[in-house]
Amino acid sequence: MKLASLKTDHPDGKLVIVSHDQANCVDAIDIATNMQFALENWSSCSEALTARYLSLNDGLEKNAVAFTGQSTFAPLPRSWQWLDGSLFLNHGHLMQQAFHLDPIADADKFPLVYQGAGDSFLGAKDNIEVADLKHGIDFEGEFGVIVDAIPMGSSAAYALSRIRLVVLLNDISYRALGPREMKTGFGFVQAKGATAFAPVALTPDELGEHWKNGRVCLPLQVKRNGQFFGEPHGQEMHFGFHELIAHVAQTRPIKAGTVFGSGTVSNADPSKGQACISELRAKEMIQHGVGQTPFMQQDEVVSMNVTDANGQSLFGSIEQHVTVSDTSEKL
Amino acid sequence: MKLASLKTDHPDGKLVIVSHDQANCVDAIDIATNMQFALENWSSCSEALTARYLSLNDGLEKNAVAFTGQSTFAPLPRSWQWLDGSLFLNHGHLMQQAFHLDPIADADKFPLVYQGAGDSFLGAKDNIEVADLKHGIDFEGEFGVIVDAIPMGSSAAYALSRIRLVVLLNDISYRALGPREMKTGFGFVQAKGATAFAPVALTPDELGEHWKNGRVCLPLQVKRNGQFFGEPHGQEMHFGFHELIAHVAQTRPIKAGTVFGSGTVSNADPSKGQACISELRAKEMIQHGVGQTPFMQQDEVVSMNVTDANGQSLFGSIEQHVTVSDTSEKL
């Protein structure tokens, strides 16, 4: 099943079911007021949602309308908890090599994770509105999952069974601000912008054999201003999502609607490129002693997409322009 | 004005106005569905809420009932964003001395802050339900504020004008898990439990002269099992709340209902005791080479209170027992 939230005046938007080919969508608000409600009531909602999805795919939904990713919020427009991992160890290895940092102890035993702002996610075509280009504007292509409630102390196996939706996201990062915050030990606050999501969330079954061991085993295509930037593959994720969730759930119960991110998708094979600028700069530093590729500037565009074997987009695409926030009205 | 949220089956509870002497309360749900709604619509709600508060204090509210802190959620039962600072530098200095850590660079210039879980705050009398006593169960007595919307790039002066409510809170911490997470640079996730709040939130004017420069200038009384543990004073906060807010708002807009914490209240004068166990253990380590005071054990109680010159509780008291989560039904 495919779900999305159309933009409305309400911050939670309007829940719609999207057809398998993403050509059409149909209202689902009579089944679930919004995506958060659907997640909190999955056992009672999912059957009706699935029935309508099948009927939509068969062309039997009279109220179906054309679906365009232009007018979508994030599939879950805001979340009570957003926890972003860093589960592709290749990314960390490159950063450590480039910046001559000590390796993070036990990063292969305990998933790295920080808590981000889930109060207002961005839609797939929303601008990346930044305070200052000097902050080192970067994107990070990631996979994510949205879960049902999971009690404290649950196993990874149980967590896997509670993953309801898979998403594609852009974790917007301000690289000039990250190192100072990391050194404090308190994690990223100033260094992260609002996270953007591709229009469509998928139930894991939509991925077929590409959903394996709690990982999205597909390449994530990233372009900068329409040019190839990378297509790293999800299979090199060191921990599965279920292991990240169980790690967090060790000391806290997880509410329905909590979002978990994979961290920037990163592969050891250099021909795969990369899903963030800082990783390319790290490779340049290792090779040439200096990072050459600039971070994002005004009006630049980053796009992200994941396609199936037939070249069809699975989540719809992310396509975001950078704009500098108007500071003339600063308060 | 004083506000609280009574426990109901709904996670947002029932908004009530509490009398100045905290003896009585009266429904406010005809003015604002819940606390989050009140914060999002402060300009249109606050006048009506204030009018009813004055009428309640004058004994004119026919629907008033007795107020007991027993049945309250946190004043804001859940928040889209919870950002906890560490603004009493004395605490950090002691920890660094005890553990022979390098000082955090520029901690006197940039407020330390991490993002915590706001998806389900605890009420003042809720148990501290932990996974394992070996995690080093600790409390942290803190002041906090809840704000109205604040645009990205706003000044500290503007942020000060947008502080709507002041709260008293217990930031529950698992000390055995903190150092590993700090070393990763990603901040605290496993190392923090759900934060608990005293029953009553105050508008800043309720504090009179004790609300000064974005600080709550009153002692925070902490007891462990009914015995004095500390009464550190809020005036030694190195940054005001408005400075913490402006720091965070530098790269993100702040939504109405965002909660900011001061970090554990801590004073240079040792006779003031301390608001968390780890600080006492740090003092013991500095003096005797080893921390002697154990962390919280099963059934132990921590209580926190702040009183005015007449000894009247301002926020109502926090009083929480430690219980170990039943793991027999682990999934």
Side-chain angles (χ1 to χ4, degrees), chain A residues 12 36 40 78-81 83-86 104-106 110-120 129-131 135 151-156 158 174 177 180-194 246-248 250-255 258 325 330-331, chain B residues 12 36 40 78-81 83-86 104-106 110-120 129-131 135 151-156 158 174 177 180-194 246-248 250-255 258 325 330-331:
Chain A
D12 293 318
Q36 178 66 31
E40 286 174 359
R78 52 181 177 171
S79 169
W80 293 106
Q81 188 164 217
L83 293 157
D84 196 12
S86 183
I104 294 176
D106 295 328
F110 301 99
L112 290 171
V113 58
Y114 74 92
Q115 179 144 4
D119 60 337
S120 180
E129 196 178 326
V130 302
H135 290 163
M152 182 160 73
S154 293
S155 67
Y158 181 73
Y174 306 137
L177 303 175
R180 188 193 64 76
E181 291 195 320
M182 284 192 83
K183 273 182 215 147
T184 68
F186 278 56
F188 311 108
V189 175
Q190 278 195 338
K192 292 289 181 181
H247 170 80
V248 172
Q250 215 175 307
T251 59
R252 64 176 70 178
I254 305 294
K255 298 272 174 186
T258 299
S325 171
K330 262 190 192 166
L331 297 159
Chain B
D12 293 318
Q36 178 67 30
E40 286 175 358
R78 52 182 178 171
S79 168
W80 293 105
Q81 189 165 214
L83 293 155
D84 195 12
S86 183
I104 295 176
D106 294 328
F110 301 99
L112 290 171
V113 57
Y114 73 93
Q115 179 145 3
D119 61 337
S120 181
E129 196 178 326
V130 303
H135 289 163
M152 182 161 73
S154 293
S155 66
Y158 181 72
Y174 306 136
L177 303 174
R180 189 192 66 73
E181 292 196 318
M182 283 194 83
K183 273 184 215 145
T184 68
F186 278 57
F188 311 108
V189 175
Q190 278 194 340
K192 292 288 181 182
H247 170 81
V248 172
Q250 215 175 307
T251 61
R252 66 177 67 178
I254 304 294
K255 298 272 176 187
T258 299
S325 171
K330 263 191 191 169
L331 298 159

Side-chain angles (χ1 to χ4, degrees), chain B residues 251-275:
Chain B
T251 61
R252 66 177 67 178
I254 304 294
K255 298 272 176 187
T258 299
V259 185
F260 291 87
S262 66
T264 190
V265 177
S266 175
N267 289 171
D269 175 358
S271 76
K272 299 296 182 187
Q274 49 285 310

Side-chain angles (χ1 to χ4, degrees), chain B:
Chain B
M1 176 165 54
K2 298 190 167 193
L3 297 170
S5 293
L6 299 188
K7 284 191 176 180
T8 68
D9 288 341
H10 192 282
D12 293 318
K14 183 167 86 163
L15 183 64
V16 294
I17 300 165
V18 180
S19 62
H20 182 73
D21 64 3
Q22 293 181 37
N24 300 299
C25 67
V26 64
D27 272 19
I29 51 171
D30 56 317
I31 302 171
T33 332
N34 54 46
M35 182 67 100
Q36 178 67 30
F37 183 96
L39 289 158
E40 286 175 358
N41 300 278
W42 195 257
S43 61
S44 60
C45 291
S46 62
E47 200 174 324
L49 291 169
T50 304
R52 192 169 299 173
Y53 174 62
L54 297 174
S55 159
L56 176 67
N57 288 338
D58 289 344
L60 302 174
E61 285 293 326
K62 286 181 192 155
N63 298 321
V65 296
F67 177 73
T68 68
Q70 296 298 336
S71 53
T72 52
F73 282 136
L76 180 64
R78 52 182 178 171
S79 168
W80 293 105
Q81 189 165 214
W82 157 226
L83 293 155
D84 195 12
S86 183
L87 307 183
F88 288 84
L89 298 191
N90 185 63
H91 176 70
H93 294 157
L94 286 170
M95 301 308 278
Q96 286 149 21
Q97 223 184 317
F99 289 97
H100 309 290
L101 304 170
D102 292 331
I104 295 176
D106 294 328
D108 56 342
K109 293 198 191 75
F110 301 99
L112 290 171
V113 57
Y114 73 93
Q115 179 145 3
D119 61 337
S120 181
F121 291 136
L122 298 183
K125 309 297 189 283
D126 289 345
N127 287 338
I128 301 171
E129 196 178 326
V130 303
D132 192 336
L133 292 171
K134 291 199 195 74
H135 289 163
I137 317 307
D138 200 357
F139 43 81
E140 288 195 10
E142 305 189 11
F143 295 109
V145 297
I146 312 180
V147 301
D148 208 328
I150 298 170
M152 182 161 73
S154 293
S155 66
Y158 181 72
L160 188 61
S161 76
R162 303 291 281 176
I163 293 173
R164 296 301 181 220
L165 296 169
V166 183
V167 291
L168 169 65
L169 62 96
N170 177 13
D171 171 35
I172 294 155
S173 300
Y174 306 136
R175 300 299 184 187
L177 303 174
R180 189 192 66 73
E181 292 196 318
M182 283 194 83
K183 273 184 215 145
T184 68
F186 278 57
F188 311 108
V189 175
Q190 278 194 340
K192 292 288 181 182
T195 308
F197 288 74
V200 180
L202 314 184
T203 48
D205 61 291
E206 285 283 336
L207 293 168
E209 58 175 8
H210 303 297
W211 176 245
K212 233 178 333 198
N213 302 321
R215 293 159 173 85
V216 180
C217 296
L218 283 167
L220 196 166
Q221 303 151 22
V222 182
K223 291 182 178 175
R224 179 177 183 173
N225 304 318
Q227 304 296 310
F228 172 91
F229 200 81
E231 50 173 9
H233 199 284
Q235 71 193 359
E236 285 183 33
M237 199 159 105
H238 182 79
F239 299 94
F241 278 112
H242 55 311
E243 293 169 300
L244 171 62
I245 299 163
H247 170 81
V248 172
Q250 215 175 307
T251 61
R252 66 177 67 178
I254 304 294
K255 298 272 176 187
T258 299
V259 185
F260 291 87
S262 66
T264 190
V265 177
S266 175
N267 289 171
D269 175 358
S271 76
K272 299 296 182 187
Q274 49 285 310
C276 66
I277 298 171
S278 71
E279 192 169 307
L280 176 56
R281 289 173 57 90
K283 291 173 185 171
E284 293 166 346
M285 288 168 80
I286 293 163
Q287 204 170 356
H288 310 294
V290 60
Q292 294 156 328
T293 303
F295 289 112
M296 297 286 274
Q297 302 300 316
Q298 172 80 29
D299 298 327
E300 280 201 89
V301 190
V302 58
S303 48
M304 297 180 184
N305 198 17
V306 175
T307 53
D308 64 15
N310 304 319
Q312 200 204 313
S313 179
L314 286 169
F315 302 92
S317 65
I318 292 172
E319 192 173 313
Q320 297 186 276
H321 290 70
V322 172
T323 61
V324 179
S325 171
D326 180 7
T327 57
S328 62
E329 289 183 49
K330 263 191 191 169
L331 298 159

